[in-house]
Amino acid sequence: MRVIYTILFLSIYSICFSQNFELKDSIIINNQTVKTVDTDLNNSIYLISDSKIEKRFTTDKQNRIVDLKNILLTVDTSNPLRLYAYTNFNRLNILDENLSPIQDPIKFNTSDYLPIALRVVDNQFCWFYDMIENKLVQYNYQMQKPILTSKQIYLKNDDQSIEKIHSYRNLIYLKSQNTIYVYDDYANFKYAVELNTNNNPYYFYKDSIFYIDNNRLINKNITTKVSTSYLDVKNTKSIAFNESNFYHFNGSVLNIYSIKYP
């Protein structure tokens, strides 16, 4: 009976949450070079192209644009006061809330590593996936030295490489083509979760990953492995989340949905 009640609860939970997105605004994006969108806790909007980032504030503050002159590989906007942009040639750019440099770009000078997925966690440390040794590395980017290194990562399910790193609380999530590999903050492997996003847009938020499947927004909790279906969306180019909004970009229009919690 407990199993039946659990299944019933999860079904009701999914139905309720599917009604919690309400379209509140649509913004026409004339810049056709925009590839992805992002947001922060202040509901600012980031329009990200190959080398440029445009920030649109929710206040009357003038929009800001920065051109980093290099191809953007990772842009982390989770901190409204500090933006981290990792580009090709192993350069980490640290920008303030107005997209002005806080310090000179940091060049990873070591020839021992080839970081291809990177996540900054604070003012000194980051995690990256080293393609040379196929390992997860915690790195002090200010002092240019490694702190922790995992054992070799054994990719499974026809995975080729790690494409994105996300961190939440004491766990590190490595997203590959068909699998999410979960590590603790001592670089120890914990478990893996199979998930093929089929090259569709996805977005990590806390301990969940949101992704598009057959024009449907799906949330998979990486801890519980429970999936929840939300609303129908079409022509998805990029998605983003924060506490209050869901952002859906189709290449020309950015739709903003408010999230209503029961």
Side-chain angles (χ1 to χ4, degrees):
M1 289 295 292
R2 180 176 296 178
V3 174
I4 296 176
Y5 287 138
T6 301
I7 294 174
L8 179 60
F9 171 79
L10 291 175
S11 299
I12 295 173
Y13 180 88
S14 177
I15 292 172
C16 290
F17 264 69
S18 67
Q19 300 172 349
N20 282 338
F21 290 81
E22 180 179 310
L23 182 64
K24 69 175 185 179
D25 198 6
S26 294
I27 302 173
I28 296 176
I29 306 298
N30 294 318
N31 185 353
Q32 297 301 305
T33 66
V34 174
K35 293 188 172 182
T36 59
V37 299
D38 214 331
T39 187
D40 58 30
L41 295 177
N42 292 335
N43 293 321
S44 299
I45 296 170
Y46 300 82
L47 306 178
I48 303 167
S49 305
D50 281 333
S51 64
K52 295 181 180 180
I53 303 171
E54 177 184 349
K55 182 176 182 179
R56 299 188 178 186
F57 297 88
T58 54
T59 62
D60 294 334
K61 199 170 183 178
Q62 185 177 3
N63 298 340
R64 301 284 182 169
I65 299 178
V66 62
D67 187 351
L68 297 175
K69 308 297 184 182
N70 290 299
I71 300 299
L72 290 161
L73 302 177
T74 301
V75 178
D76 184 355
T77 66
S78 56
N79 184 343
L81 302 179
R82 184 164 293 197
L83 182 145
Y84 300 96
Y86 181 60
T87 71
N88 59 346
F89 305 112
N90 300 338
R91 294 168 67 91
L92 178 62
N93 301 268
I94 306 175
L95 312 177
D96 66 15
E97 60 181 327
N98 295 316
L99 301 188
S100 299
I102 291 177
Q103 63 184 85
D104 291 337
I106 297 171
K107 178 73 167 65
F108 289 69
N109 294 317
T110 177
S111 59
D112 298 329
Y113 304 103
L114 181 58
I116 62 169
L118 183 143
R119 170 77 173 187
V120 175
V121 292
D122 58 27
N123 295 340
Q124 293 190 55
F125 301 105
C126 69
W127 291 95
F128 65 72
Y129 168 69
D130 174 32
M131 192 174 182
I132 296 177
E133 296 291 337
N134 195 26
K135 293 180 180 181
L136 175 65
V137 179
Q138 186 185 48
Y139 197 76
N140 186 319
Y141 58 85
Q142 299 288 5
M143 298 180 65
Q144 295 279 311
K145 67 177 183 178
I147 306 300
L148 294 170
T149 303
S150 74
K151 295 180 180 179
Q152 187 172 14
I153 300 172
Y154 292 98
L155 300 176
K156 54 171 69 173
N157 303 322
D158 296 323
D159 289 336
Q160 301 300 312
S161 181
I162 302 301
E163 59 188 28
K164 189 175 182 64
I165 295 179
H166 171 68
S167 62
Y168 179 65
R169 292 182 175 172
N170 62 338
L171 294 177
I172 315 299
Y173 305 90
L174 282 66
K175 172 71 171 65
S176 192
Q177 289 73 39
N178 302 299
T179 315
I180 299 174
Y181 303 87
V182 183
Y183 284 75
D184 65 21
D185 52 6
Y186 292 98
N188 298 311
F189 175 73
K190 303 295 290 184
Y191 59 90
V193 177
E194 291 188 26
L195 179 64
N196 186 346
T197 51
N198 294 310
N199 295 317
N200 289 320
Y202 61 84
Y203 193 89
F204 280 102
Y205 187 66
K206 295 185 177 180
D207 61 346
S208 291
I209 182 171
F210 290 84
Y211 64 99
I212 305 298
D213 184 23
N214 292 321
N215 293 323
R216 188 80 179 172
L217 177 65
I218 309 293
N219 168 29
K220 187 178 185 73
N221 186 291
I222 305 169
T223 303
T224 65
K225 303 178 180 63
V226 173
S227 295
T228 306
S229 178
Y230 291 89
L231 73 164
D232 290 320
V233 288
K234 294 182 179 180
N235 304 319
T236 306
K237 189 172 183 179
S238 178
I239 59 176
F241 274 86
N242 59 26
E243 285 288 340
S244 55
N245 293 325
F246 162 54
Y247 300 82
H248 177 266
F249 179 54
N250 65 14
S252 59
V253 177
L254 178 64
N255 290 314
I256 304 174
Y257 295 82
S258 59
I259 302 174
K260 304 296 183 181
Y261 295 94

